[in-house]
Amino acid sequence: MSETTASFPVPELEARARRCADALRDADAVLLASHIDADGLTSAGVASQALSRAGIDHETRFENQLGPEEIADIAATEYDTVLFTDFGSGQLDEIVEYDFTPVVADHHQLADVDIEHHLNPLLEGVDGGSELSGAGAAYVLARALGGPENRDLAALAVVGAVGDMQTEGGELVGANTVVAKEGVEAGVLDTARGLAVYGVQTRPLPKLLAYASDVHIPGITNDRQGAVRFLAGLDIDLKQGGEWPTWAELTVEEKQTVASALIRRAIRNGVSTDDVEDLVGTTYTLTEEELGTEVRDASEFSTLLNATARYERADVGLAVCLGDRDGALAEARDLLAEHRRNLSAGVRWVEEHGVTQEEHVQWFDAGDEIRDTIVGIVAGMAMSADGVRYDKPIVALARKNETELKASARGTGRLVDDGLDLSVVMGEAARAVGGDGGGHTVAAGATIPDDAVEAFVTEVGRLVAAQLA
Ligand code: C5P
Ligand code: C5P
Ligand code: ZN
């Protein structure tokens, strides 16, 4: 699989983490501000627990984005020290205009301005897009604050990395693998190579296989009855008391039997070797969590968190990150059901209405039909939908408020290897029309005035063409 390019812990990153930790210890109280998505929630979960354990008073708040207004609001609070997690690095030029002491643990692209207390993998040559997430940066900080005692927080950091889609070829790479290793050593995480499909903890097998749409296996994908026939045709009797088990409930041998039969079936049906390889990956299991719950699997956990964050219920997601397995988990599950419905309705909308193909980019404007907070996730999912091309980045638009649109762009690892940097594209194209944006090479977003769609898309196309030339 992918090569590990960074040795971690990177001493320079840890030195930065120590300076950040010192600033936090010096503070009377800390305002913790974090990004409102799965990685931002887990970042806050890691940071908040580390602050509590270090006896540092703090309050947590979440923002969809860190713009001038949000920074001004934060500056207007009584806090003299503000810890930003999963954002901040790109906004330092604006942050330094205020009197409070900023401490930043982030992994997004950097602004031109730097500060004393700044922890970002990109500052030390570690790829923040694929090797360390915001929660990973928060974890490095947590270790500086509390030492090896805080290694149990690695499990949440892995959930953040998985939530930010930092897996490559189905597994974490680079610095993330060291975070995962520390979680394993601390006894809170288990990593296992095998069938990598979404829903190993909560989906009964036929549903698990039928819903796994990343690799299309004729007669199984999108075909629950077909999946049942496939499973019933195996040599082993998997049904227990009339119920299909989940993947997590299978024995090692049973998993092996199902996985190899599935792979044989895929090959027999002409699925390419590359695609078959995509069926295999690493599953990250949070071993302290109850079997069969979303929070036991990093991928399901991160989706659960997105389901709270994207619906203005970050409080629920944070409570789950902080260990509430009663009321908050139940509430998060309700939100998850709604999130699922919205995502599939969103992808269906894209399939029905199609995307507009320009020479170097493809795009759609969902208006009010898809929530601006999930349109990026839908865009990513739509990359594998019918009528959407895989060799061009996709830009998705949705209404944000009365005057502005939210834009989300998604690319592929292949395009990034060829020179695509959507963070630059979205930032520059948005600013060219009076908006702003940023993010990562493979996934970025922006806010633009609603009368600037054509100019914006044209500019995106021009910038993408220049990068891929
Ligand atoms: O702001 P943040 O870094 O937390 O968000 C990262 C976003 O990028 C996630 O929402 C994830 O869906 C997206 N992403 C993606 N494909 C990748 C990497 C990230 O869609 N390969
Ligand atoms: O919102 P979306 O999922 O499209 O965001 C993709 C990435 O772009 C995230 O990492 C997000 O933090 C970043 N982004 C940004 N500035 C914006 C919008 C999104 O940096 N205005
Ligand atoms: Zn992140």
Side-chain angles (χ1 to χ4, degrees), residues 260-314:
S260 38
L262 192 69
I263 288 170
R264 275 198 310 276
R265 167 74 167 264
I267 293 171
R268 214 169 351 107
N269 279 280
V271 176
S272 75
T273 327
D274 274 2
D275 283 353
V276 169
E277 262 180 35
D278 285 349
L279 284 169
V280 180
T282 298
T283 304
Y284 299 91
T285 306
L286 286 78
T287 49
E288 307 246 276
E289 303 294 345
E290 194 185 327
L291 190 76
T293 60
E294 293 83 358
V295 289
R296 194 171 161 95
D297 175 69
S299 184
E300 293 194 70
F301 196 157
S302 74
T303 303
L304 184 79
L305 293 177
N306 270 324
T308 68
R310 310 273 169 162
Y311 301 85
E312 284 115 46
R313 291 311 307 274

Side-chain angles (χ1 to χ4, degrees), residues 35 37 39 86 107-108 163-165 310 410 440 442-443:
H35 189 208
D37 71 356
D39 190 30
D86 197 35
H107 70 132
H108 288 92
D164 254 12
M165 305 187 64
R310 310 273 169 162
R410 295 291 185 271
H440 306 286
V442 76

Side-chain angles (χ1 to χ4, degrees), residues 428-444:
E428 288 187 8
R431 286 189 289 277
V433 299
D436 202 6
H440 306 286
T441 51
V442 76

